[in-house]
Amino acid sequence: MKWLIITGDDLGMSPGINLGIVEAHHCGILTSASLLVNRPASEEAAALLRECPVLSLGLHLELATDDPELVHVQIEWQVARFLELVGALPTHLDSHHNVHHDPQVLPQVLAWARRSQVPVRGYSEICHVSKFYGQWGGDTHLEQIGVEGLLRLLDEEVRDGVTELACHPGYVEPGFPSSYAAERELELRTLCNERVRQAILQRGIELIGFRDLPEPAKAGLRHLEDRAPLWREVLGR
């Protein structure tokens, strides 16, 4: 069986991103989102998501890797802020610019995830696909995030088990604080394209959120603690 989670990152970055993610959920194939908790639009995002009760909502960590002593404090504060905004713990963890892959950061992220039994992007039974992205090597590649590009990813990357495809849909206002701007609106149109939804059905792929993980993936989370020594070995710890 093939299960697919579609996660919209950067929720809370701006009002336009918030609206785009909600639209991609209501009108498209988005099943999950990751919330930035310390941005001006974070509270608005949490309020909007109360109208999306089936959307899985995770924490998009922002961590300063230049001071590893503060990483634990940053994680605990952001989890507490998430709980304050959402009223529940995150269904999953990932990070802005993938900083959780940093060897000085990862052990503490995994430690929190083990205690709470939530998946961390790239470190669970869930296969993470990052190729639905419209910039590579500093250049824009819109073909990667159009309908044909997404259909190609479905064929090449989605295998038996659970796959998470990360995306960045949204609307972009003047002064938007990111070079990844116009690409977000194309991502949104692609995620809401009816051809994509039909292609997912035709390929026998079931769209789910992190709340709906099948039992094998849940069992993998319960055994994260057993794999802790392996993570430390990989990281040279």
Side-chain angles (χ1 to χ4, degrees):
M1 183 66 189
K2 298 177 180 179
W3 293 278
L4 179 61
I5 299 169
I6 310 286
T7 300
D9 288 349
D10 297 341
L11 181 67
M13 179 177 280
S14 73
I17 299 303
N18 294 345
L19 291 175
I21 284 178
V22 170
E23 183 176 332
H25 174 59
H26 284 313
C27 304
I29 59 173
L30 196 83
T31 62
S32 166
S34 295
L35 176 65
L36 295 160
V37 298
N38 195 28
R39 297 296 184 99
S42 296
E43 291 190 14
E44 175 197 86
L48 284 172
L49 267 292
R50 295 188 188 105
E51 305 302 319
C52 306
V54 301
L55 186 76
S56 294
L57 190 56
L59 175 56
H60 203 47
L61 289 164
E62 292 189 276
L63 301 171
T65 59
D66 57 343
D67 191 349
E69 297 300 320
L70 289 179
V71 169
H72 173 74
V73 174
Q74 292 172 338
I75 293 171
E76 293 296 333
W77 183 89
Q78 290 179 54
V79 170
R81 177 62 172 157
F82 185 99
L83 187 56
E84 177 186 356
L85 290 171
V86 178
L89 289 172
T91 60
H92 59 280
L93 291 180
D94 47 52
S95 65
H96 199 44
H97 300 310
N98 293 313
V99 296
H100 69 285
H101 294 308
D102 188 296
Q104 298 187 90
V105 170
L106 181 58
Q108 298 189 61
V109 174
L110 290 177
W112 190 90
R114 285 194 297 269
R115 292 196 302 271
S116 303
Q117 292 189 357
V118 299
V120 177
R121 180 175 288 169
Y123 299 93
S124 75
E125 303 293 328
I126 301 165
C127 177
H128 171 231
V129 175
S130 61
K131 295 179 181 178
F132 187 68
Y133 196 72
Q135 288 184 5
W136 299 99
D139 297 322
T140 297
H141 291 277
L142 296 182
E143 71 279 2
Q144 293 287 123
I145 52 176
V147 170
E148 297 302 328
L150 182 51
L151 297 184
R152 185 169 58 251
L153 283 179
L154 293 178
D155 290 331
E156 294 176 354
E157 303 292 340
V158 179
R159 300 288 181 261
D160 287 342
V162 184
T163 301
E164 180 198 14
L165 185 142
C167 57
H168 301 80
Y171 291 105
V172 178
E173 308 96 331
F176 182 70
S178 171
S179 62
Y180 197 77
E183 295 90 345
R184 295 176 188 264
E185 297 190 4
L186 177 55
E187 285 196 24
L188 176 58
R189 293 194 296 272
T190 298
L191 294 170
C192 293
N193 189 292
E194 184 60 25
R195 282 183 60 203
V196 173
R197 184 181 294 278
Q198 291 302 316
I200 288 172
L201 291 173
Q202 292 165 3
R203 287 159 173 77
I205 299 170
E206 181 179 347
L207 290 172
I208 63 171
F210 284 95
R211 302 179 192 277
D212 315 308
L213 288 175
E215 188 54 38
K218 292 179 181 178
L221 294 178
R222 288 195 290 269
H223 289 93
L224 274 174
E225 184 64 41
D226 298 336
R227 295 205 295 272
L230 174 59
W231 299 129
R232 285 194 288 270
E233 181 180 339
V234 169
L235 295 169
R237 299 271 172 148

